[in-house]
Amino acid sequence: MAAVAVHQFAQCITCHAWSPDRSMVAFCPNNNEVHIYKLLEDKWEKVHVLQKHDQIVSGIDWSGRSNRIVTVSHDRNSYVWNQEGPEWVPTLVILRLNRAALCVQWSPKENKFAVGSGAKTVCICYYEQENNWWVSKLIRKKHDSSVTGVAWHPNNILLATTSTDGKCRVFSTFIKGVDTRESKSGSSSDSKFGEQIVQLDLSYSWAFGVKWSPSGNTLSYVGHNSMIYFVDDVGPSPLAQNVAFRNLPLRDVLFVSEKMVIGVGFDCNPMVFAADESGIWSFIRFLGEKKASSSSSKYGSQFSEAFGKLYGQSKHGLSNDTVEPSRAQGVVHENCINCIVPLTKEGFRTKRFSTSGLDGKIVIWDLENQDLSDNF
């Protein structure tokens, strides 16, 4: 099995993030606090509790270079935490939101971070040296519902978002004085702040976790209709594919290489998707062990297969007509997996990653020796 470590930290975990050296992990135990644990003599011990939010912390990201933690909460606020000696000191970020903040992510250069919210708004936050505080610029009137996911392109300018209006959008976040115009980034650096590059109407249900491939050439996101979407050549004429599966919907995705994606969600077991030599994506297998599937009626099996094929025949782009047989839930996670974070990287490949879920576990997974070499 690919799971190499299972840690029961709480009854429920909302989100988690790792320190740059991977010696500490920060997570929200489904309340208004952030707990930081450190590995001391092969045992995880609580070393810090970040207390500033008034409601559930819905997003955490720990920057790899500057060692700063950013948190967002349903209380509509965001804090940037800096370690000063033994303590973590918070700095309030004025988001100007009238609804909950739902997700957050540092940009690749860590000079900005993006916050998605229930106010149909995306906040792009950056540090203003003159006034010594964090300020935000808002992307408004582009989404028709809550923004559930944000993902930065490697060029530090483009930002992809998903929303419960079923759409995935890509925006320019170029800010004068913060970003520099580079000829190699193409037209993205020429776009004004908040300009919508593309809108993808592939899903007719809520859209969740979104990620870019390491090169930035492919975009992937998931829908609440048990489908995952892949988009190449993001721009005026994108090439889109979708893969339908018979299992429960996904909540988040992670590119572990240019041609392989791990999806996690309500099925409690990471799912592996990969592209073949012709660029066609398909479901490969589950990573965790499975319980023995109970016998089901022939009619139920035929109905499920037909239902899966029906949703696989999307009007947009390509579709995958093969539907995997029904499988039981995994045995590592016992409830929905809502967060997946990379751990060990070698170039464009992620060899280890971690997942957390509503069962209060953080699980570390290893992709080596998993018979995925043809795709990995």
Side-chain angles (χ1 to χ4, degrees):
M1 186 169 60
V4 295
V6 181
H7 306 287
Q8 183 78 51
F9 285 109
Q11 291 185 340
C12 178
I13 292 179
T14 308
C15 49
H16 78 282
W18 292 88
S19 63
D21 60 1
R22 303 301 188 257
S23 64
M24 292 187 288
V25 61
F27 63 86
C28 170
N30 199 37
N31 57 21
N32 63 331
E33 299 176 345
V34 174
H35 294 184
I36 299 179
Y37 278 71
K38 187 172 184 178
L39 186 61
L40 299 172
E41 297 179 355
D42 297 328
K43 184 179 180 181
W44 289 96
E45 294 186 10
K46 187 190 298 183
V47 292
H48 299 285
V49 177
L50 308 185
Q51 296 176 310
K52 200 66 177 176
H53 289 287
D54 297 327
Q55 297 182 28
I56 289 178
V57 176
S58 50
I60 304 172
D61 200 14
W62 201 326
S63 62
R65 301 177 186 175
S66 55
N67 193 37
R68 292 180 298 204
I69 300 174
V70 60
T71 59
V72 295
S73 167
H74 289 182
D75 63 9
R76 302 170 295 168
N77 289 325
S78 172
Y79 290 94
V80 175
W81 303 78
N82 292 277
Q83 191 170 21
E84 298 181 4
E87 301 296 328
W88 286 91
V89 179
T91 301
L92 177 65
V93 183
I94 306 299
L95 297 180
R96 296 176 289 160
L97 295 175
N98 58 7
R99 294 292 187 274
L102 301 178
C103 53
V104 63
Q105 188 180 47
W106 286 103
S107 68
K109 293 183 180 179
E110 298 179 8
N111 58 349
K112 301 181 291 186
F113 61 87
V115 178
S117 73
K120 310 177 186 179
T121 300
V122 179
C123 305
I124 307 300
C125 307
Y126 60 97
Y127 190 71
E128 202 171 66
Q129 294 283 354
E130 298 176 356
N131 297 313
N132 192 29
W133 62 4
W134 289 85
V135 297
S136 62
K137 295 189 69 173
L138 306 186
I139 300 177
R140 291 174 170 168
K141 300 181 180 180
K142 302 292 186 179
H143 300 85
D144 297 325
S145 192
S146 299
V147 179
T148 56
V150 292
W152 287 96
H153 189 277
N155 67 9
N156 206 71
I157 302 295
L158 297 181
L159 180 76
T161 66
T162 49
S163 171
T164 49
D165 61 12
K167 297 175 176 60
C168 177
R169 300 173 174 88
V170 177
F171 298 97
S172 169
T173 66
F174 184 86
I175 300 175
K176 292 182 179 179
V178 178
D179 299 302
T180 57
R181 298 189 183 276
E182 300 177 2
S183 58
K184 65 179 181 179
S185 61
S187 60
S188 61
S189 63
D190 298 328
S191 302
K192 296 181 180 179
F193 177 86
E195 181 178 339
Q196 182 171 293
I197 307 301
V198 66
Q199 175 176 297
L200 302 167
D201 301 328
L202 304 179
S203 176
Y204 295 100
S205 63
W206 296 342
F208 289 110
V210 57
K211 291 292 189 304
W212 294 90
S213 65
S215 68
N217 294 329
T218 305
L219 181 68
S220 178
Y221 68 101
V222 297
H224 204 60
N225 54 353
S226 293
M227 297 186 75
I228 182 170
Y229 305 92
F230 301 94
V231 183
D232 295 316
D233 300 331
V234 175
S237 302
L239 301 176
Q241 301 179 45
N242 59 54
V243 179
F245 45 91
R246 286 181 51 194
N247 302 87
L248 298 177
L250 299 174
R251 282 299 309 270
D252 203 0
V253 292
L254 174 69
F255 275 90
V256 293
S257 70
E258 194 66 24
K259 296 297 182 181
M260 182 180 291
V261 165
I262 306 294
V264 296
F266 292 95
D267 205 44
C268 313
N269 202 339
M271 302 173 69
V272 182
F273 300 86
D276 58 19
E277 295 179 355
S278 60
I280 303 301
W281 289 85
S282 61
F283 171 75
I284 303 300
R285 67 178 179 88
F286 285 89
L287 273 184
E289 292 179 350
K290 293 298 230 177
K291 296 178 181 178
S293 300
S294 59
S295 59
S296 57
S297 65
K298 182 178 180 181
Y299 172 78
S301 175
Q302 291 175 343
F303 175 79
S304 298
E305 184 175 359
F307 186 80
K309 285 186 176 181
L310 172 64
Y311 276 85
Q313 297 169 353
S314 171
K315 295 180 181 179
H316 302 273
L318 302 174
S319 65
N320 182 6
D321 292 332
T322 60
V323 180
E324 287 296 309
S326 180
R327 304 174 185 230
Q329 290 186 344
V331 295
V332 181
H333 278 288
E334 299 170 355
N335 208 328
C336 172
I337 306 173
N338 53 19
C339 185
I340 179 170
V341 178
L343 269 177
T344 305
K345 289 186 176 182
E346 290 186 9
F348 278 2
R349 295 184 177 183
T350 298
K351 293 194 172 182
R352 282 196 174 191
F353 63 90
S354 64
T355 57
S356 64
L358 303 185
D359 57 0
K361 295 179 181 179
I362 293 181
V363 181
I364 298 175
W365 304 81
D366 195 337
L367 291 176
E368 291 189 311
N369 302 321
Q370 290 299 313
D371 298 328
L372 298 172
S373 57
D374 293 340
N375 308 99
F376 188 50

